Coordinates of all heavy atoms in Angstrom, one line a residue:
M1 N 73.0 10.7 15.4 CA 74.3 11.3 15.6 C 74.8 11.0 17.0 O 75.9 10.7 17.2 CB 74.2 12.8 15.3 CG 75.5 13.5 15.4 SD 76.7 12.9 14.2 CE 77.9 14.1 14.3
R2 N 73.9 11.2 18.0 CA 74.3 11.0 19.4 C 74.7 9.5 19.6 O 75.6 9.2 20.4 CB 73.2 11.4 20.4 CG 73.0 12.8 20.5 CD 71.8 13.2 21.3 NE 71.9 12.6 22.6 CZ 71.5 13.2 23.7 NH1 70.9 14.3 23.7 NH2 71.7 12.6 24.9
D3 N 74.0 8.6 19.0 CA 74.3 7.2 19.1 C 75.7 6.9 18.5 O 76.5 6.1 19.1 CB 73.2 6.4 18.3 CG 73.4 4.9 18.6 OD1 73.6 4.6 19.8 OD2 73.2 4.1 17.7
R4 N 76.0 7.6 17.4 CA 77.3 7.4 16.8 C 78.5 7.9 17.7 O 79.5 7.3 17.9 CB 77.4 8.1 15.5 CG 78.6 7.8 14.7 CD 78.5 8.4 13.3 NE 79.6 8.0 12.5 CZ 79.8 8.4 11.3 NH1 78.9 9.1 10.7 NH2 80.8 8.0 10.6
V5 N 78.2 9.0 18.3 CA 79.2 9.6 19.3 C 79.4 8.7 20.5 O 80.5 8.4 20.9 CB 78.8 11.0 19.7 CG1 79.7 11.5 20.8 CG2 78.8 12.0 18.5
R6 N 78.3 8.2 21.0 CA 78.3 7.3 22.1 C 79.1 6.0 21.8 O 79.9 5.6 22.6 CB 76.9 6.9 22.6 CG 76.9 6.1 23.9 CD 75.5 5.7 24.4 NE 74.7 6.9 24.5 CZ 73.5 7.0 24.0 NH1 73.0 6.0 23.3 NH2 72.7 8.1 24.2
R7 N 78.8 5.4 20.6 CA 79.5 4.2 20.2 C 81.0 4.5 20.0 O 81.8 3.7 20.4 CB 78.9 3.7 18.9 CG 77.6 3.0 19.1 CD 77.1 2.5 17.8 NE 75.7 2.2 18.0 CZ 75.1 1.2 17.3 NH1 75.8 0.5 16.4 NH2 73.8 1.0 17.5
S8 N 81.3 5.6 19.5 CA 82.8 6.0 19.3 C 83.4 6.2 20.6 O 84.6 5.7 20.8 CB 82.9 7.3 18.5 OG 82.4 7.1 17.2
A9 N 82.7 6.8 21.6 CA 83.3 7.0 22.9 C 83.5 5.7 23.6 O 84.6 5.4 24.2 CB 82.4 7.9 23.8
V10 N 82.6 4.7 23.5 CA 82.7 3.4 24.1 C 83.9 2.7 23.5 O 84.7 2.1 24.2 CB 81.4 2.6 24.0 CG1 81.7 1.1 24.4 CG2 80.3 3.2 24.8
M11 N 84.0 2.8 22.2 CA 85.1 2.1 21.4 C 86.5 2.7 21.9 O 87.4 1.9 22.2 CB 85.0 2.3 19.9 CG 86.0 1.6 19.1 SD 85.9 1.9 17.3 CE 86.2 3.7 17.2
L12 N 86.6 4.0 22.0 CA 87.8 4.6 22.5 C 88.2 4.2 23.9 O 89.3 3.9 24.3 CB 87.8 6.1 22.3 CG 87.8 6.6 20.9 CD1 87.6 8.1 20.8 CD2 89.1 6.2 20.2
I13 N 87.1 4.2 24.8 CA 87.4 3.8 26.2 C 87.8 2.3 26.3 O 88.8 2.0 27.0 CB 86.1 4.0 27.0 CG1 85.9 5.5 27.2 CG2 86.2 3.3 28.4 CD1 84.5 5.9 27.7
V14 N 87.2 1.4 25.5 CA 87.6 0.0 25.5 C 89.0 -0.1 25.0 O 89.8 -0.8 25.6 CB 86.6 -0.8 24.7 CG1 87.2 -2.2 24.5 CG2 85.3 -0.9 25.4
A15 N 89.3 0.6 23.9 CA 90.7 0.5 23.4 C 91.7 1.0 24.4 O 92.8 0.4 24.5 CB 90.8 1.3 22.1
A16 N 91.4 2.1 25.1 CA 92.3 2.7 26.1 C 92.5 1.7 27.2 O 93.7 1.5 27.7 CB 91.8 4.0 26.6
I17 N 91.5 1.0 27.7 CA 91.6 0.0 28.7 C 92.5 -1.1 28.3 O 93.3 -1.6 29.0 CB 90.2 -0.4 29.2 CG1 89.5 0.7 29.9 CG2 90.3 -1.7 30.1 CD1 88.0 0.4 30.2
V18 N 92.3 -1.6 27.1 CA 93.1 -2.7 26.6 C 94.5 -2.3 26.5 O 95.4 -3.1 26.9 CB 92.5 -3.2 25.2 CG1 93.5 -4.1 24.5 CG2 91.2 -3.8 25.3
I19 N 94.8 -1.1 26.0 CA 96.2 -0.7 25.9 C 96.8 -0.5 27.3 O 98.0 -0.9 27.5 CB 96.3 0.7 25.1 CG1 96.0 0.4 23.7 CG2 97.7 1.3 25.3 CD1 95.8 1.7 22.9
L20 N 96.1 0.0 28.3 CA 96.6 0.1 29.6 C 96.9 -1.3 30.3 O 97.9 -1.4 30.9 CB 95.6 0.9 30.5 CG 95.5 2.4 30.3 CD1 94.4 3.0 31.1 CD2 96.8 3.1 30.6
I21 N 96.0 -2.2 30.1 CA 96.2 -3.6 30.6 C 97.4 -4.2 29.9 O 98.3 -4.8 30.6 CB 95.0 -4.4 30.4 CG1 93.8 -4.0 31.3 CG2 95.3 -5.9 30.7 CD1 92.5 -4.6 31.0
D22 N 97.5 -4.0 28.6 CA 98.7 -4.6 27.9 C 100.0 -4.0 28.4 O 100.9 -4.8 28.7 CB 98.5 -4.3 26.4 CG 99.7 -4.8 25.5 OD1 100.0 -6.0 25.6 OD2 100.4 -3.9 24.9
Q23 N 100.1 -2.7 28.4 CA 101.3 -2.1 28.9 C 101.6 -2.4 30.4 O 102.7 -2.5 30.8 CB 101.2 -0.6 28.6 CG 101.2 -0.2 27.2 CD 102.4 -0.7 26.4 OE1 103.5 -0.5 26.8 NE2 102.1 -1.5 25.3
G24 N 100.5 -2.4 31.2 CA 100.7 -2.7 32.6 C 101.3 -4.1 32.8 O 102.2 -4.3 33.6
T25 N 100.7 -5.1 32.1 CA 101.2 -6.5 32.2 C 102.7 -6.6 31.7 O 103.5 -7.4 32.3 CB 100.3 -7.5 31.5 OG1 100.1 -7.1 30.2 CG2 99.0 -7.6 32.2
K26 N 103.0 -5.9 30.7 CA 104.4 -5.9 30.2 C 105.3 -5.3 31.2 O 106.4 -5.9 31.4 CB 104.5 -5.1 28.8 CG 103.9 -5.8 27.7 CD 104.0 -5.0 26.4 CE 103.3 -5.7 25.3 NZ 103.3 -4.9 24.0
T27 N 105.0 -4.2 31.8 CA 105.8 -3.6 32.8 C 105.9 -4.5 34.0 O 107.0 -4.7 34.6 CB 105.2 -2.3 33.3 OG1 105.1 -1.4 32.1 CG2 106.0 -1.6 34.3
L28 N 104.8 -5.1 34.4 CA 104.9 -6.1 35.5 C 105.8 -7.3 35.2 O 106.6 -7.6 36.1 CB 103.4 -6.6 35.8 CG 103.3 -7.6 37.0 CD1 103.6 -6.9 38.3 CD2 101.9 -8.1 37.0
A29 N 105.7 -7.8 34.0 CA 106.6 -8.9 33.7 C 108.1 -8.5 33.7 O 108.9 -9.2 34.2 CB 106.2 -9.4 32.3
L30 N 108.4 -7.3 33.1 CA 109.7 -6.8 33.1 C 110.3 -6.6 34.5 O 111.5 -6.8 34.7 CB 109.9 -5.6 32.2 CG 109.7 -5.8 30.7 CD1 109.6 -4.4 30.0 CD2 110.9 -6.5 30.2
N31 N 109.5 -6.2 35.4 CA 109.9 -5.9 36.7 C 110.0 -7.1 37.7 O 110.6 -7.0 38.7 CB 109.0 -4.8 37.4 CG 109.3 -3.4 36.7 OD1 110.3 -3.1 36.2 ND2 108.2 -2.6 36.7
T32 N 109.2 -8.1 37.4 CA 109.1 -9.2 38.3 C 109.7 -10.5 37.8 O 110.1 -11.4 38.6 CB 107.7 -9.5 38.8 OG1 106.9 -9.8 37.6 CG2 107.1 -8.3 39.5
L33 N 109.8 -10.7 36.5 CA 110.2 -12.0 36.0 C 111.7 -11.9 35.5 O 112.2 -10.8 35.2 CB 109.4 -12.5 34.8 CG 107.9 -12.7 35.1 CD1 107.1 -13.0 33.8 CD2 107.7 -13.8 36.1
R34 N 112.4 -13.0 35.4 CA 113.8 -13.0 34.9 C 113.9 -14.1 33.8 O 113.1 -15.0 33.8 CB 114.7 -13.4 36.1 CG 114.7 -12.3 37.2 CD 115.6 -12.7 38.3 NE 116.6 -13.7 38.1 CZ 117.2 -14.4 39.0 NH1 117.0 -14.1 40.3 NH2 118.1 -15.3 38.7
Q35 N 114.9 -13.9 32.9 CA 115.1 -14.8 31.8 C 115.8 -16.1 32.3 O 115.6 -17.1 31.7 CB 116.0 -14.2 30.8 CG 115.3 -13.1 29.9 CD 116.1 -12.6 28.8 OE1 117.1 -11.8 29.1 NE2 115.9 -13.0 27.6
D36 N 116.5 -16.0 33.4 CA 117.3 -17.2 33.9 C 116.6 -17.9 35.0 O 117.2 -18.8 35.6 CB 118.7 -16.8 34.3 CG 118.7 -15.7 35.4 OD1 117.6 -15.2 35.7 OD2 119.7 -15.4 36.0
A37 N 115.4 -17.5 35.4 CA 114.7 -18.2 36.5 C 113.2 -18.4 36.1 O 112.6 -17.5 35.6 CB 114.8 -17.4 37.8
R38 N 112.7 -19.6 36.4 CA 111.3 -19.9 36.1 C 110.5 -19.9 37.4 O 111.0 -20.5 38.4 CB 111.2 -21.2 35.4 CG 109.9 -21.7 34.9 CD 110.0 -22.9 34.1 NE 108.7 -23.3 33.6 CZ 107.9 -24.1 34.2 NH1 108.1 -24.6 35.4 NH2 106.7 -24.4 33.7
I39 N 109.3 -19.4 37.4 CA 108.4 -19.4 38.5 C 107.4 -20.5 38.2 O 106.5 -20.3 37.4 CB 107.7 -18.0 38.8 CG1 108.8 -17.0 39.0 CG2 106.8 -18.1 39.9 CD1 108.2 -15.6 39.1
P40 N 107.4 -21.6 38.9 CA 106.5 -22.7 38.7 C 105.1 -22.3 39.2 O 105.0 -21.8 40.3 CB 107.0 -23.9 39.4 CG 108.0 -23.4 40.4 CD 108.4 -22.0 39.9
L41 N 104.1 -22.5 38.4 CA 102.7 -22.3 38.9 C 102.0 -23.6 39.2 O 101.3 -23.7 40.2 CB 101.9 -21.5 37.8 CG 102.4 -20.1 37.5 CD1 101.6 -19.5 36.4 CD2 102.4 -19.2 38.8
I42 N 102.1 -24.6 38.3 CA 101.5 -25.9 38.5 C 102.7 -26.9 38.1 O 102.8 -27.4 37.0 CB 100.3 -26.1 37.5 CG1 99.2 -25.1 37.8 CG2 99.8 -27.5 37.7 CD1 98.1 -25.2 36.9
G43 N 103.5 -27.1 39.1 CA 104.7 -28.0 38.9 C 105.5 -27.6 37.7 O 105.7 -26.4 37.5
D44 N 105.9 -28.6 37.0 CA 106.7 -28.4 35.7 C 105.8 -28.1 34.6 O 106.2 -27.8 33.5 CB 107.6 -29.6 35.4 CG 108.8 -29.7 36.4 OD1 109.1 -28.6 37.0 OD2 109.3 -30.8 36.6
W45 N 104.5 -28.3 34.8 CA 103.5 -28.2 33.7 C 103.3 -26.8 33.2 O 103.1 -26.5 32.0 CB 102.2 -28.9 34.1 CG 101.2 -29.0 32.9 CD1 101.3 -29.8 31.9 CD2 100.0 -28.3 32.8 NE1 100.3 -29.7 31.1 CE2 99.5 -28.7 31.6 CE3 99.4 -27.3 33.5 CZ2 98.3 -28.2 31.1 CZ3 98.2 -26.8 33.0 CH2 97.7 -27.2 31.8
L46 N 103.2 -25.8 34.2 CA 102.9 -24.4 33.8 C 103.8 -23.5 34.7 O 103.8 -23.7 35.9 CB 101.4 -24.2 34.1 CG 101.0 -22.7 33.8 CD1 101.1 -22.4 32.3 CD2 99.5 -22.6 34.2
G47 N 104.4 -22.5 34.1 CA 105.2 -21.6 34.9 C 105.4 -20.3 34.1 O 105.0 -20.1 33.0
L48 N 106.0 -19.3 34.8 CA 106.3 -18.0 34.2 C 107.8 -17.8 34.1 O 108.5 -18.1 35.1 CB 105.7 -16.9 35.1 CG 104.2 -17.0 35.2 CD1 103.7 -15.9 36.2 CD2 103.5 -16.8 33.9
Q49 N 108.2 -17.3 33.0 CA 109.6 -16.9 32.8 C 109.7 -15.8 31.7 O 109.0 -15.9 30.7 CB 110.4 -18.1 32.3 CG 111.9 -17.9 32.2 CD 112.7 -19.2 31.8 OE1 112.1 -20.3 31.8 NE2 114.0 -19.0 31.6
L50 N 110.5 -14.8 31.9 CA 110.7 -13.7 31.0 C 111.3 -14.2 29.7 O 112.4 -14.9 29.7 CB 111.5 -12.6 31.6 CG 111.6 -11.3 30.8 CD1 110.2 -10.7 30.6 CD2 112.5 -10.3 31.5
A51 N 110.7 -13.9 28.6 CA 111.3 -14.3 27.3 C 111.0 -13.2 26.3 O 110.0 -12.5 26.3 CB 110.6 -15.6 26.8
F52 N 112.0 -13.0 25.4 CA 111.9 -11.9 24.4 C 111.8 -12.6 23.0 O 112.6 -13.6 22.8 CB 113.1 -11.0 24.4 CG 113.1 -10.1 25.7 CD1 113.9 -10.5 26.8 CD2 112.3 -9.0 25.8 CE1 113.9 -9.8 27.9 CE2 112.3 -8.3 27.0 CZ 113.1 -8.7 28.0
N53 N 111.0 -12.1 22.1 CA 110.9 -12.6 20.8 C 111.4 -11.6 19.8 O 110.8 -10.6 19.6 CB 109.4 -12.9 20.4 CG 109.3 -13.5 19.1 OD1 110.2 -13.8 18.4 ND2 108.0 -13.7 18.7
P54 N 112.6 -11.8 19.3 CA 113.2 -10.8 18.4 C 112.6 -10.7 17.0 O 112.8 -9.8 16.3 CB 114.7 -11.3 18.3 CG 114.6 -12.7 18.5 CD 113.5 -13.0 19.4
G55 N 111.8 -11.7 16.7 CA 111.1 -11.8 15.4 C 109.8 -11.2 15.4 O 109.2 -10.7 16.4
A56 N 109.1 -11.1 14.2 CA 107.8 -10.6 14.1 C 106.7 -11.6 14.4 O 105.8 -11.4 15.1 CB 107.6 -10.0 12.7
I57 N 106.9 -12.8 13.8 CA 105.9 -13.8 14.0 C 106.6 -15.1 14.2 O 107.3 -15.6 13.4 CB 105.0 -14.0 12.7 CG1 104.3 -12.7 12.4 CG2 104.0 -15.1 12.9 CD1 103.5 -12.6 11.1
F58 N 106.4 -15.7 15.4 CA 107.0 -17.0 15.7 C 108.5 -17.0 15.5 O 109.1 -17.9 15.0 CB 106.4 -18.1 15.0 CG 104.9 -18.2 15.1 CD1 104.0 -18.0 14.1 CD2 104.3 -18.4 16.4 CE1 102.7 -18.1 14.2 CE2 102.9 -18.5 16.5 CZ 102.1 -18.3 15.5
S59 N 109.2 -15.9 15.9 CA 110.6 -15.7 15.7 C 111.1 -15.6 14.3 O 112.3 -15.7 14.0 CB 111.4 -16.8 16.5 OG 111.2 -16.7 17.8
L60 N 110.2 -15.4 13.3 CA 110.5 -15.2 11.9 C 110.5 -13.7 11.6 O 109.8 -12.9 12.3 CB 109.5 -15.9 11.0 CG 109.4 -17.4 11.2 CD1 108.2 -17.9 10.3 CD2 110.7 -18.1 10.8
G61 N 111.3 -13.3 10.7 CA 111.3 -11.9 10.3 C 112.0 -11.0 11.2 O 111.6 -9.8 11.4
E62 N 113.1 -11.4 11.8 CA 113.8 -10.6 12.7 C 114.3 -9.3 12.0 O 114.8 -9.4 10.9 CB 115.0 -11.3 13.3 CG 115.8 -10.5 14.3 CD 116.9 -11.4 15.0 OE1 116.9 -12.6 14.8 OE2 117.6 -10.8 15.7
G63 N 114.1 -8.2 12.5 CA 114.5 -6.9 11.9 C 113.5 -6.3 11.0 O 113.7 -5.3 10.4
S64 N 112.4 -7.0 10.7 CA 111.4 -6.5 9.8 C 110.0 -6.5 10.5 O 109.0 -6.6 9.8 CB 111.4 -7.3 8.5 OG 111.1 -8.7 8.8
T65 N 110.0 -6.2 11.8 CA 108.7 -6.1 12.5 C 107.9 -4.9 12.0 O 106.7 -4.9 12.1 CB 108.9 -6.0 14.0 OG1 109.8 -4.9 14.3 CG2 109.5 -7.3 14.5
W66 N 108.6 -3.9 11.4 CA 107.9 -2.8 10.9 C 106.9 -3.2 9.8 O 105.9 -2.5 9.6 CB 108.9 -1.7 10.4 CG 109.7 -2.2 9.2 CD1 110.9 -2.8 9.2 CD2 109.4 -2.0 7.8 NE1 111.3 -3.1 8.0 CE2 110.4 -2.6 7.1 CE3 108.3 -1.4 7.1 CZ2 110.4 -2.6 5.7 CZ3 108.3 -1.5 5.8 CH2 109.4 -2.0 5.0
V67 N 107.2 -4.2 9.0 CA 106.4 -4.7 7.9 C 105.0 -5.1 8.5 O 103.9 -4.8 8.0 CB 107.0 -5.8 7.1 CG1 106.0 -6.4 6.1 CG2 108.3 -5.3 6.4
I68 N 105.1 -5.9 9.6 CA 103.9 -6.4 10.2 C 103.1 -5.3 10.8 O 101.9 -5.3 10.8 CB 104.3 -7.5 11.3 CG1 105.1 -8.6 10.8 CG2 103.0 -8.0 12.1 CD1 104.4 -9.4 9.7
T69 N 103.8 -4.3 11.4 CA 103.1 -3.1 11.9 C 102.4 -2.4 10.8 O 101.2 -2.0 11.0 CB 104.1 -2.2 12.6 OG1 104.8 -2.9 13.6 CG2 103.5 -1.0 13.2
V70 N 103.0 -2.1 9.7 CA 102.3 -1.4 8.6 C 101.1 -2.2 8.1 O 100.1 -1.7 7.9 CB 103.4 -1.2 7.4 CG1 102.7 -0.7 6.2 CG2 104.4 -0.2 7.9
I71 N 101.3 -3.5 8.0 CA 100.2 -4.4 7.5 C 99.0 -4.3 8.5 O 97.9 -4.2 8.2 CB 100.6 -5.8 7.3 CG1 101.5 -5.9 6.1 CG2 99.4 -6.8 7.1 CD1 102.2 -7.3 5.9
G72 N 99.4 -4.4 9.8 CA 98.3 -4.3 10.9 C 97.6 -3.0 10.9 O 96.4 -2.9 11.0
V73 N 98.3 -1.9 10.7 CA 97.7 -0.6 10.6 C 96.8 -0.5 9.4 O 95.6 0.1 9.5 CB 98.7 0.6 10.6 CG1 98.1 1.9 10.3 CG2 99.4 0.6 12.0
A74 N 97.2 -1.0 8.3 CA 96.5 -0.9 7.0 C 95.2 -1.7 7.2 O 94.1 -1.3 6.8 CB 97.3 -1.4 5.8
V75 N 95.3 -2.9 7.7 CA 94.1 -3.8 7.9 C 93.1 -3.1 8.9 O 91.9 -3.1 8.6 CB 94.5 -5.2 8.4 CG1 93.3 -6.0 8.9 CG2 95.3 -5.9 7.3
T76 N 93.6 -2.5 9.9 CA 92.8 -1.8 10.9 C 92.0 -0.7 10.2 O 90.8 -0.5 10.4 CB 93.6 -1.3 12.1 OG1 94.2 -2.4 12.7 CG2 92.7 -0.6 13.1
A77 N 92.7 0.1 9.4 CA 92.1 1.2 8.7 C 91.0 0.7 7.7 O 89.9 1.3 7.6 CB 93.2 2.0 7.9
V78 N 91.3 -0.4 7.0 CA 90.3 -1.0 6.1 C 89.1 -1.4 6.9 O 87.9 -1.2 6.4 CB 90.9 -2.1 5.2 CG1 89.8 -2.9 4.5 CG2 91.9 -1.5 4.3
L79 N 89.3 -2.1 8.0 CA 88.1 -2.6 8.8 C 87.3 -1.4 9.3 O 86.1 -1.5 9.3 CB 88.7 -3.5 9.9 CG 89.2 -4.8 9.5 CD1 89.8 -5.6 10.7 CD2 88.1 -5.7 8.9
I80 N 87.9 -0.4 9.8 CA 87.2 0.8 10.3 C 86.4 1.4 9.2 O 85.2 1.8 9.3 CB 88.1 1.8 11.0 CG1 88.7 1.2 12.3 CG2 87.4 3.1 11.2 CD1 89.7 2.0 13.0
G81 N 87.0 1.5 8.0 CA 86.4 2.1 6.8 C 85.2 1.3 6.4 O 84.1 1.8 6.1
A82 N 85.4 -0.1 6.4 CA 84.3 -1.0 6.0 C 83.1 -0.9 7.0 O 82.0 -0.9 6.6 CB 84.8 -2.4 5.9
A83 N 83.5 -0.8 8.3 CA 82.4 -0.8 9.3 C 81.6 0.6 9.2 O 80.4 0.6 9.3 CB 83.0 -0.9 10.7
T84 N 82.3 1.6 8.9 CA 81.7 2.9 8.7 C 80.8 2.9 7.5 O 79.6 3.4 7.6 CB 82.8 4.1 8.6 OG1 83.6 4.0 9.8 CG2 82.1 5.4 8.5
V85 N 81.2 2.4 6.4 CA 80.4 2.4 5.2 C 79.2 1.5 5.5 O 78.1 1.8 5.1 CB 81.2 1.9 4.0 CG1 80.3 1.5 2.8 CG2 82.3 2.9 3.6
S86 N 79.4 0.3 6.1 CA 78.3 -0.6 6.4 C 77.3 0.0 7.3 O 76.1 -0.1 7.1 CB 78.9 -1.9 7.0 OG 77.8 -2.7 7.4
Y87 N 77.7 0.7 8.3 CA 76.8 1.4 9.3 C 76.1 2.5 8.6 O 74.8 2.6 8.7 CB 77.6 1.9 10.5 CG 76.8 2.6 11.5 CD1 76.0 1.9 12.3 CD2 76.7 4.0 11.5 CE1 75.2 2.5 13.3 CE2 75.9 4.7 12.5 CZ 75.2 3.9 13.3 OH 74.4 4.5 14.2
T88 N 76.7 3.3 7.7 CA 76.1 4.4 7.0 C 75.0 3.8 6.1 O 73.9 4.3 5.9 CB 77.1 5.2 6.3 OG1 78.1 5.7 7.2 CG2 76.5 6.4 5.5
H89 N 75.4 2.7 5.4 CA 74.5 2.1 4.4 C 73.3 1.5 5.2 O 72.1 1.7 4.7 CB 75.2 1.0 3.7 CG 74.4 0.3 2.6 ND1 74.0 0.9 1.5 CD2 73.8 -0.9 2.6 CE1 73.3 0.1 0.7 NE2 73.2 -1.0 1.4
L90 N 73.5 0.9 6.3 CA 72.4 0.4 7.1 C 71.5 1.5 7.6 O 70.2 1.4 7.5 CB 72.9 -0.4 8.3 CG 71.9 -1.0 9.3 CD1 71.1 -2.1 8.6 CD2 72.6 -1.5 10.5
R91 N 72.0 2.6 8.1 CA 71.2 3.7 8.6 C 70.4 4.4 7.4 O 69.3 4.8 7.7 CB 72.1 4.8 9.2 CG 72.8 4.3 10.5 CD 71.9 4.0 11.6 NE 71.5 5.3 12.2 CZ 70.6 5.4 13.1 NH1 70.1 4.4 13.6 NH2 70.3 6.6 13.6
A92 N 71.0 4.4 6.2 CA 70.3 5.0 5.1 C 69.0 4.2 4.7 O 68.0 4.8 4.3 CB 71.2 5.1 3.9
H93 N 69.0 2.9 4.9 CA 67.9 2.1 4.6 C 66.9 2.0 5.7 O 65.8 1.5 5.5 CB 68.4 0.7 4.2 CG 69.1 0.6 2.9 ND1 68.4 0.8 1.7 CD2 70.4 0.4 2.6 CE1 69.2 0.8 0.7 NE2 70.4 0.5 1.2
E94 N 67.2 2.5 6.9 CA 66.3 2.5 8.0 C 65.2 3.5 7.9 O 64.1 3.4 8.3 CB 67.0 2.6 9.4 CG 67.7 1.4 9.8 CD 68.4 1.6 11.2 OE1 68.3 2.7 11.7 OE2 68.9 0.6 11.7
T95 N 65.5 4.7 7.3 CA 64.6 5.8 7.2 C 63.8 5.8 5.9 O 64.0 5.1 5.0 CB 65.3 7.1 7.3 OG1 66.4 7.2 6.3 CG2 65.9 7.3 8.7

């Protein structure tokens, strides 16, 4: 039981760190980059410029990003459920 709590805590901490990094880099980009100016990093080969994607996937599905969100949440729930069942099944066969 303690092992399960520890694993859950690590999972939540990692998820929180990933979310903080994601939101931090988005804020940094919004505050420092512009849509009309490119910051070259390696000449013309690589640079930074603010861009917005109005679509869900590769600019497709504009206005229906909620569908992708629902699918993502459903897939995540199924994966968590499958992992829990698999872990419980594995633990049952250990004893």
Side-chain angles (χ1 to χ4, degrees):
M1 181 66 171
R2 287 174 58 143
D3 191 40
R4 187 175 188 177
V5 171
R6 186 180 306 128
R7 287 180 192 211
S8 295
V10 169
M11 181 182 67
L12 289 174
I13 290 169
V14 169
I17 290 170
V18 169
I19 290 169
L20 287 173
I21 291 171
D22 176 61
Q23 294 302 308
T25 55
K26 286 178 184 177
T27 301
L28 181 65
L30 287 171
N31 291 332
T32 58
L33 300 175
R34 294 179 20 200
Q35 286 183 288
D36 60 349
R38 185 173 183 273
I39 300 171
L41 297 177
I42 302 176
D44 288 335
W45 189 71
L46 180 66
L48 299 175
Q49 183 174 357
L50 185 62
F52 294 98
N53 181 4
I57 302 172
F58 306 115
S59 295
L60 300 173
E62 185 175 351
S64 57
T65 55
W66 64 272
V67 174
I68 302 301
T69 302
V70 168
I71 291 170
V73 169
V75 168
T76 301
V78 167
L79 289 174
I80 290 171
T84 302
V85 168
S86 176
Y87 180 75
T88 303
H89 184 69
L90 178 68
R91 296 293 284 176
H93 289 290
E94 284 182 357
T95 55

